[in-house]
Amino acid sequence: MSDYIHIFHRGTDPNEERTILVCHGTGGDEHSLVPFAESLLPGASILSPRGNVLEGALPRFFRRLAEGVFDQDDLVFRAGQLARFVAESADTYGFDAAKVVGFGYSNGANILHTALLLHPDVSAELVLLRAMPTLSASKLAGSLDEAHPRLASKRILLSQGDSDPIVPNELSNELATLLSSQGAQVQLSWQHSGHAITRSELEAARDWLA
Ligand code: MLT
């Protein structure tokens, strides 16, 4: 069934019904963020795919042509592929597809919010670390309807570095505005950091999910 090498760990806490969908950054794999996911949502099931696009030897979730320049057709295709993978995994492993929390870093955060915009059923909540806008104006115009926002029941924590050399601050603001314009409840949280993950933002994300 699977388009992805992945791991699934069944949850150990019967009171935690959520499953955390983990998407790594460029060059990571299905194991990279699992320890962080375990601390974000203790006892939850974990579904962690490895990005199935290679940039040289580095796994990613969609093709890029240059830093911050994305292959739009591949991006749309891969977002659909991820959404399908989550739905199929819910059937295979028996978790509730309506209670999926996406957790992604950098390229993994980017595929998660893109998939949510195009396929809102993919998750209910997102924790995004160092994300940036991905879809071109024409792809957005073709898929979004300002009059009927698609993300009305979604919660999103967008955790960004205030001195990130890869994601300038205006792109963080642009992404927060885009997701809010579709009705999501977005919290934009600034870290005194660059592109790397900090311990304090993981603690804040755990509190946000609690
Ligand atoms: C991306 O390609 O998704 C972003 O540039 C983040 C990265 O992977 O460096």
Side-chain angles (χ1 to χ4, degrees), residues 26 60 62 64 67-68 70 106-107 110 132:
T26 301
R60 286 176 51 84
F62 55 89
R64 75 177 154 185
E67 183 63 69
F70 305 126
S106 193
N107 181 246
N110 290 340
M132 65 171 77

Side-chain angles (χ1 to χ4, degrees), residues 20-141:
I20 187 158
L21 166 67
V22 184
C23 291
H24 61 80
T26 301
D29 67 19
E30 67 276 26
H31 302 286
S32 309
L33 298 181
V34 166
F36 296 151
E38 285 167 347
S39 71
L40 281 189
L41 219 49
S45 293
I46 295 176
L47 178 65
S48 184
R50 183 191 304 177
N52 54 5
V53 169
L54 285 179
E55 186 178 89
L58 307 180
R60 286 176 51 84
F61 286 93
F62 55 89
R63 282 190 68 222
R64 75 177 154 185
L65 307 175
E67 183 63 69
V69 183
F70 305 126
D71 177 330
Q72 291 291 308
D73 290 337
D74 188 62
L75 174 60
V76 169
F77 172 74
R78 301 289 169 191
Q81 197 175 38
L82 184 70
R84 213 168 41 247
F85 166 71
V86 173
E88 288 173 1
S89 297
D91 284 346
T92 304
Y93 297 118
F95 63 81
D96 187 344
K99 295 198 174 122
V100 172
V101 178
F103 166 52
Y105 168 60
S106 193
N107 181 246
N110 290 340
I111 193 66
L112 282 171
H113 69 74
T114 308
L116 189 74
L117 279 165
L118 300 180
H119 306 278
D121 289 344
V122 73
S123 57
E125 299 173 293
L126 290 184
V127 173
L128 304 175
L129 311 182
R130 311 299 182 274
M132 65 171 77
T134 52
L135 288 161
S136 65
S138 64
K139 290 283 187 214
L140 278 173

Side-chain angles (χ1 to χ4, degrees), residues 18 20 30 118 132 134 150 164 181 187 208:
R18 291 175 288 181
I20 187 158
E30 67 276 26
L118 300 180
M132 65 171 77
T134 52
R150 302 158 65 95
D164 188 332
S181 77
Q187 183 176 323
W208 183 85

